[in-house]
Amino acid sequence: RSKKMSKTAGKSATKRVVDDDDDDLELFKENSDEVPQKVEEEEDGEDSDDSDSEESVFSGLEDSGSDSDDDDDDDVEVEEDFEEEITSDCENEDRSPGLEPKEEQPSTKKPSKPQQGEKLLLKEKTATRKAGGSKGRAKDNGTVQSEEAKGQVTPPQVDEYEHDTSDEEWYQDYPHIGYDLDGKKILKPIRNKDELDEFLDKMENPDYWRTIHDKMTAADIRLSDEQIDLIHRLQRGQFGDVNFNEYEPYVDFFSDETMIHPVTNRPQDKRSFIPSLIEKEKVSKMVHAIKMGWIKPRKPKESEQRFYDLWAKEDPNAILGRHKMHVPAPKIKLPGHEESYNPPPEYLLTEEEKLAWEQQDPEDRKLAFLPQKYPCLRVVPAYSRFIHERFERCLDLYLCPRQRKMRVNVDPEDLIPKLPKPKDLQPFPTTQSLIYRGHSSLVRCISLSPSGQWLASGSDDCTVRFWEVCTGRCMKTVEVGGTVKSIAWNPNPSICLVAISFNETVLLLNPCLGDKLLYNATDQFIASYVEPEEERPQLVQWEVPQDEDFDNGFRLIINHPKSVKQVTWHGKGDYLASVLSDNSNTQVLIHQVSKRRSQNPFRKNKGIVQCVSFHPIRPYFFVASQRCVRIYNLIKQELMKKLMANCKWISSMAIHQGGDNVICGSYDSRLSWFDLDLSTKPYKVLRHHKKALRGVAFHKNYPLFASGSDDGSVIVCHGMVYNDLLQNPLIVPVKVLRGHTITHNLGVLDVAFHPMQPWIFSSGADATIRLFT
Amino acid sequence: MGGTCADSPELAGASERSSFGTCVVESCWRRVYPPVRFSSQLKSDTMGGQQKKKYESGSATNYISRNKARKKLSLSLADFRRLCILKGIYPHEPKHKKKVNKGSTAPRTFYLLKDIRFLLHEPIVAKFRDYKVFVRKLRKAYGKGEWADVQRVRENKPVYKLDHIVKERYPTFIDAIRDADDALSMCFLFSTFPRTGKCHVQTIQLCRRLCVEWMNYIITSRSLKKVFLSIKGIYYQADILGQAVTWLVPYQFSHNHPADVDYRVMATFTEFYTTLLGFINFRLYQSLNLVYPPKVKPARAVISSCPSRVCDLRLKALLCFFLQEDVEALEAREKQQKELDAHKKLFEGLKFFLNREVPREPLAFVLRCFGGQVSWDQSLCMGSTYSVTDETITHQIVDRPNVDKKYINRYYIQPQWVFDCVNSKMLLAVEDYFPGVTLPPHLSPFVEEKDGDYVPPEKLKLLALQRGEKPGEIAEDEEGNDNEDDDDDDEDDDDDDEEGIDEKNLKMMEKQRSQGKALSVTVTPGKLKTENKMRLDQEEKAEEKRLAIMMMKKKEKYLYDKIMFGKKRNVREVNKLAAKRKAHDEALKANKKKKKGKKD
């Protein structure tokens, strides 16, 4: 103790403060009087140091036991080492039963580890000093447990103590563990066998293996042969009784055999021979229900579909109403050669085609599959999309809207209108017979003399040339001061005058060709003009050229405020209309040559005027704006009709000799034929040209009209107008004339018919004029 | 399906036809919706009287959209779909879609209102509702664990029959035959399904039974007309009561079932088709004075070597049955039929033996359809009547490059011979079909070439054969041509060599040529004139046509252009095929030459 005390004294103060529990323990030990006494009693025969060590052992055990985890582990070890310990204990049976204190059991106190370590150290010392001292064995938990096992009376009791803390506390400090029936103390078994004894015992005692230590009495019991045999049998899972036969023959008491005697001799219940009223009631109810037909016997089920002659009494007329609208599903397309497993080689796709096929959308593909060739039937694989295709067919059948469609399977030949043969509609120009060369730039306009002998042409090279039609000779070249926009020969055969428009002027020129009397008469007619007394303000300036210009044939010059697009004569040759390229109100002017007077017929112009024309017979005036043609009555001074041309931009216009039919050419390559008696909308629209139309013309005597276009062709059509009002005009294209070369995207610029012959002149951008006869 | 097919119809499949000459009214799928037109709406007439409201009469009231129809019938989408499939109700494409759609241009599926009203009184609708109740009851009983109730509810499972629907959809038997194509294809497909998942085993068995019965009818009535081995399967065409019935049978392989196919839809179709086919079979058997359903005799003692093919049992047994009849009782009947058609007894008197690698069922079917006797190895399948060693066998069908043991008194041929013979309606030369030989192309018997269409040279040969011309002549001619061609080629080669050797010679030749040209010009002016006349005539006509086309109306011009475009495209395709063939033949020839050269 003194050592202990010194040791504890040697401890640092801080540790003491920290380890309150330890202090308590110390205090407890010091305060309790009995415990040291007992210890002293125990260790009567031993050294005083022993007691000290004993105590330290206890405290140490307490420490180790405090750790619950360790405790559990230790239990397991206890069980493992059970036999060994028993035997070891048994050997030291004779020794006086030691007072193994139950303080070995874990307590709630938790001393600090360092202290514990110190204690252990101390114990070691004692152990070395006193060999065989049981206290020295408390080094680690394992040994502690073995000691504990030895110290306790029986392992179950150990368990009991472990959990029953009250008991533990109660007998903690006593040498006994309880009382027997007589009220005498049962003393704690004495521990007098240490490991060494145990070991020696194990080595020397031949019966060690069959010795069991009884913890209750602390006696070692040697098991008899019978007992060991029993243990072995139990371990093997056999019955403990040697004589027990587990395979005894089975006696079947409750077999199908009827026994003579009842199994039980119990008398029968009364209810077994008295009919049940409740059941009777139930049965009677059912019987009643059956009688009343409420309960019917279950029909036997038809397991399989039965087929019979469904159409035995078929009536083809018994078609339901809805069948009128019925659209039968189209059948699946039958396969072609390409679907064969061994198709002709041409049906197989080439590599490029395959690639294209793969890149195509599945919906766009012409074939839904890739044609393939297999050398023999054996190698043909399954078609992977088979179920898909059948499913798609199903979808088509119930989900796809159906429609009746009229498939127009017409012969394309039937679509072509039956027209009279062009052969029967002769004469019309068919071949190119003359080319008039001389101009150096595109020829914008041409005009023919009423006699048909002369041809005048105006070009962008600022010249006007006069040609003899039959020979193609250029008779005269007149230089003018600008590009010639329009040229018109006076339609009156008795007057030899040509109106030429260039820049802002309209020039009246006497070409001095043909009959000398005639052109001299024209000169006289112009010279006979007498100045009116009253000078009226004029819109334009009338000028009479002198000297050189007069020699050139210039007779009158009309100066306009703006550039002039077009000139055109009235049929009688006295009036002359000019179109100004101006957006103002003065777009159209009508000049009277005999009186040298000009007037603006329209107060207000609607749209840009493209071209104008006089009615050949009546005092009507045609004004073509961009999209429509207006017809004015000049005498009544009112708008008569407005023809809707159905085109974007009218380029040219021509009026039939009868005056009731008008054709309009437009830049959007249309030619519209108006029948004024029919409607204000085109009677026929021809789209036979590929490009913009530049000029259209009617023949004066023959039922012909022509159109020239930028595609370099002149199309001559037969346009018969009947006197019978009920019969509509007959329009038949009869000839496509080609010859002009296209220059600067311009082909034919103007067309004109010969007044008598079925000949046509065309002027083109290639600076030529061509005659087709 | 349900989600995807909500009001926007998926449209698939294709059936385009092109026939010229007549105006044909034909039904068709309406797949592409017309472009949306923004036309000004006609304003309702307000000139006194009662104001007429829009969309209260006319086509707008004749159609009903799918959702409205569903609501009217108070059915779920799945039930509605089933009802439509069973009753054969399909959407219609209205003429004026926008009017029907009440001014909206949204894509919508329209049913005829009459059709939907007609569905209202369908007893099957009540059954559908009963079924729903049944399912609910069953689920409840299960949930509560009342097994007695489960049993009772199960016993009272509502079932419906489709007999009246078949009668209603096909008032006459001919109508039913006309529509049998899809039914047959579907049943043949289902009969090849495995017995796991996808559909009920009973359905598969029923399909199999019906298919076998159908095939037996075809064999007995000898009505098979055409067979075609395609990459998809085998097409058969039979002539029944004057109606051409075509069906497609897949090759005998297991299917890998695609995930994007709704098997419920297919099963509903099959449900109807099996009923239809059963009644058709009954009627057909009746017409042959046969008992329906045919009694299946228990299988003979021969045990199939492959136990997996239990599903074939029925067929085998049936085939057995008919085979026996062939041998014993049908002898007399066959004699009567001999007068009917030579085609029907194409294989009469021939004895075939099928090797094990040959597809047995289709070949046995086809051969029996034309009066041939068929047998196969006994270990392979039951129903074989004679073995390989039989000396009377005339043809053995093999599909392998060489045969180990050959018998001298029979032909060994590849299976294509049988099909080609059937299609050409005559026994073809067997030389082209010997085992290991490169087979001649297998042509589709369904193609009927009009003038202008491309005709493969094999077909031309076949036509010549059918006309009775000897094949030798053609071949000789061809050979002659080949020789000529060869000569030409040789000459060309020589020329090339010469050119390569000497340039002077070339110059000389050029001179000669120029001289020759000059001479020809002097000699042939008269001839040229006559040609010109012809050409002038032609040109004149062409010009007339061109001028007339100018005068066409816009609408007609459009149509004309379209037709001409189609024609031109056809011509282009024909030319392409012809060119391909030519190139192929030339390549073949070149190969031959090379081989020859090597041999030399």
Side-chain angles (χ1 to χ4, degrees), chain B residues 32-153:
Chain B
V32 186
Y33 295 102
V36 178
R37 285 196 204 107
F38 295 98
S39 59
S40 56
Q41 295 277 322
L42 288 169
K43 274 168 192 161
S44 53
D45 193 24
T46 49
M47 287 284 286
Q50 199 149 28
Q51 202 170 1
K52 206 183 155 192
K53 277 187 184 165
K54 252 185 194 175
Y55 311 127
E56 284 194 344
S57 64
S59 56
T61 51
N62 289 338
Y63 292 92
I64 186 167
S65 81
R66 199 236 299 262
N67 267 336
K68 273 193 185 153
R70 222 163 48 71
K71 268 171 203 158
K72 189 168 182 139
L73 295 168
S74 62
L75 283 173
S76 70
L77 191 64
D79 277 348
F80 181 68
R81 190 172 59 211
R82 278 170 72 201
L83 192 64
C84 282
I85 291 171
L86 294 176
K87 292 281 282 181
I89 305 287
Y90 46 85
H92 282 253
E93 181 73 14
K95 237 182 189 176
H96 305 289
K97 188 124 205 233
K98 207 175 158 191
K99 261 186 210 169
V100 173
N101 215 347
K102 309 213 161 100
S104 156
T105 49
R108 214 163 263 161
T109 325
F110 289 103
Y111 289 83
L112 275 182
L113 188 65
K114 264 189 186 170
D115 282 357
I116 300 301
R117 283 216 194 104
F118 163 79
L119 287 182
L120 276 175
H121 309 290
E122 179 54 48
I124 277 192
V125 177
K127 286 285 181 187
F128 283 167
R129 295 194 184 114
D130 286 352
Y131 193 81
K132 226 159 68 180
V133 173
F134 157 74
V135 168
R136 207 162 47 216
K137 277 182 183 166
L138 195 67
R139 201 186 294 138
K140 200 170 176 182
Y142 255 115
K144 287 184 173 177
E146 291 164 347
W147 308 117
D149 276 6
V150 168
Q151 188 67 21
R152 184 178 51 75
V153 171

Side-chain angles (χ1 to χ4, degrees), chain B residues 411-451:
Chain B
Y411 290 118
Y412 287 84
I413 43 167
Q414 296 200 36
Q416 195 189 320
W417 181 79
V418 175
F419 299 100
D420 280 354
C421 283
V422 168
N423 291 339
S424 58
K425 299 179 183 174
M426 60 196 297
L427 292 177
L428 295 170
V430 285
E431 289 85 19
D432 300 336
Y433 299 91
F434 282 155
V437 166
T438 314
L439 288 168
H442 181 59
L443 298 174
S444 165
F446 303 112
V447 182
E448 276 160 20
E449 281 95 353
K450 284 161 265 160
D451 44 328

Side-chain angles (χ1 to χ4, degrees), chain A residues 301 328 366 378 396 409 423, chain B residues 12 19 22 27 155 399 573:
Chain A
K301 270 202 175 174
K366 220 177 157 203
R378 186 181 68 235
D396 271 358
N409 289 322
K423 244 188 218 169
Chain B
S19 53
T22 48
S27 55
E155 271 168 13
D399 200 359
E573 268 164 21

Side-chain angles (χ1 to χ4, degrees), chain A residues 428-440:
Chain A
F428 55 83
T430 51
T431 49
Q432 179 179 303
S433 47
L434 274 179
I435 303 175
Y436 305 87
R437 290 182 201 277
H439 282 293
S440 56

